[in-house]
Amino acid sequence: MLRIAVPNKGSLSGPASAMLHEAGYRQRKESKELVVIDPDNEVEFFYLRPKDIAIYVASGKLDIGITGRDLLLDSGASAEEILPLNFGRSTFRYATRPGTANGPEDFGGMTIATSYEGIVAKHLADQGIDASVVHLDGAVETAIQLGVAQIIADVVETGTSLRNAGLEVIGEPILTSEAVVVRRHGADLDHPQVQQFLRRLQGVLVARSYVMMDYDCRAEHLEQAVALTPGLESPTISPLHNEGWVAVRAMVPAKEAQRIMDDLYELGARAILTTAIHACRL
């Protein structure tokens, strides 16, 4: 069986399980379940701490894992990202009290507090900055107030908690993260089960990003309509019973669907419908 690691808790857990369910895999029904066997798909799922997943995968004990890009890089494990999953997005940045520093170039001799010691140490080393890094678990905003560090490095979403602590974001982002599929360095990516797993997840990503659009239009307007809805290969065109009319079907980006519907209507198209795509293979 293919052995796959899935986050057991935290912000990545729910979306990861939801994506796997959409991809046709059995998932746990209770949070206490640590292992789920899916015999129909010949897969065994292990629910682990997100921070540990890259390490398990790198050891070769598990074939594939879903974790955050930040957690993968911070672990230093011999594992690599093979597919971004478009959820769990976050930005990792430096922050400090106003007037302390403008960016990493001013960090010389200072101490930086973070829960991601591996990422920060590498970032500083890559830029040739001589600063100390202290590891703290959990919220690090109070590290400056308590004199543990002059700078913090942490995940920033809205920045509200930083502002409430009297801190400001400085410098460029250290890292932009999201959920990713990881595999041990040097592992065989051509394995049939691995390829099937990746195709299924890619199918979910496409299904979430596109909708199927159907509409009727006059034959003389077809070329203009097709220019608006080119589809992935090309749209499906079918003649209608009423002479001079055709039916068109094509996949279109979900975020552009309303604008495309407006443009088609202005062109004279009618009976314009969109339907969700639940699964696909490209």
Side-chain angles (χ1 to χ4, degrees):
M1 283 193 171
L2 194 68
R3 295 156 66 88
I4 301 175
V6 184
N8 67 341
K9 59 182 179 180
S11 61
L12 299 180
S13 178
S17 288
M19 174 170 276
L20 291 168
H21 178 73
E22 288 180 52
Y25 293 105
R26 179 181 298 180
Q27 289 296 285
R28 62 180 181 175
K29 297 180 180 179
E30 296 182 3
S31 60
K32 294 181 180 180
E33 293 182 85
L34 300 180
V35 180
V36 169
I37 297 175
D38 183 348
D40 293 337
N41 292 298
E42 297 184 341
V43 175
E44 193 171 7
F45 293 100
F46 294 82
Y47 296 86
L48 306 169
R49 291 181 63 220
K51 283 190 173 184
D52 297 335
I53 286 176
I55 297 171
Y56 278 105
V57 172
S59 73
K61 302 300 182 182
L62 300 178
D63 300 299
I64 283 175
I66 295 176
T67 188
R69 181 180 295 129
D70 53 349
L71 300 175
L72 165 65
L73 297 176
D74 191 61
S75 72
S78 182
E80 60 184 338
E81 172 185 334
I82 57 174
L83 180 67
L85 296 178
N86 201 30
F87 68 84
R89 293 184 178 276
S90 61
T91 303
F92 195 57
R93 307 196 67 166
Y94 293 113
T96 188
R97 284 176 174 164
T100 302
N102 294 317
E105 65 277 6
D106 300 326
F107 291 174
M110 294 186 181
T111 299
I112 303 164
T114 183
S115 299
Y116 299 82
E117 185 178 1
I119 292 176
V120 174
K122 184 179 185 303
H123 187 258
L124 295 173
D126 289 345
Q127 299 192 47
I129 298 169
D130 183 18
S132 301
V133 180
V134 58
H135 178 87
L136 295 175
D137 285 321
V140 296
E141 290 90 343
T142 56
I144 294 177
Q145 179 182 356
L146 296 177
V148 173
Q150 294 83 38
I151 311 290
I152 65 168
D154 202 7
V155 172
V156 177
E157 295 181 359
T158 64
T160 300
S161 60
L162 292 177
R163 288 191 293 273
N164 290 341
L167 307 178
E168 64 177 6
V169 171
I170 58 173
E172 296 297 318
I174 304 168
L175 173 71
T176 299
S177 183
E178 64 181 298
V180 297
V181 178
V182 299
R183 181 90 162 134
R184 178 173 56 86
H185 273 298
D188 180 15
L189 288 177
D190 293 328
H191 190 284
Q193 281 183 292
V194 174
Q195 287 298 311
Q196 181 187 70
F197 178 77
L198 295 177
R199 280 196 302 271
R200 286 194 181 193
L201 294 190
Q202 288 166 336
V204 172
L205 291 171
V206 173
R208 289 178 172 182
S209 301
Y210 286 82
V211 294
M212 188 65 72
M213 184 169 289
D214 294 88
Y215 59 91
D216 301 338
C217 78
R218 297 284 305 176
E220 60 265 28
H221 298 150
L222 180 59
E223 291 304 316
Q224 292 171 278
V226 166
L228 293 171
T229 59
L232 297 185
E233 302 295 340
S234 65
T236 299
I237 312 296
S238 304
L240 293 178
H241 180 70
N242 289 342
E243 187 175 351
W245 283 83
V246 294
V248 183
R249 162 169 278 204
M251 288 173 63
V252 301
K255 63 182 180 181
E256 298 177 21
Q258 292 296 329
R259 177 189 59 79
I260 293 172
M261 293 176 77
D262 291 338
D263 292 344
L264 287 171
Y265 190 88
E266 290 298 321
L267 190 62
R270 294 295 182 265
I272 309 169
L273 308 173
T274 62
T275 53
I277 300 171
H278 297 292
C280 72
R281 296 290 185 276
L282 298 181

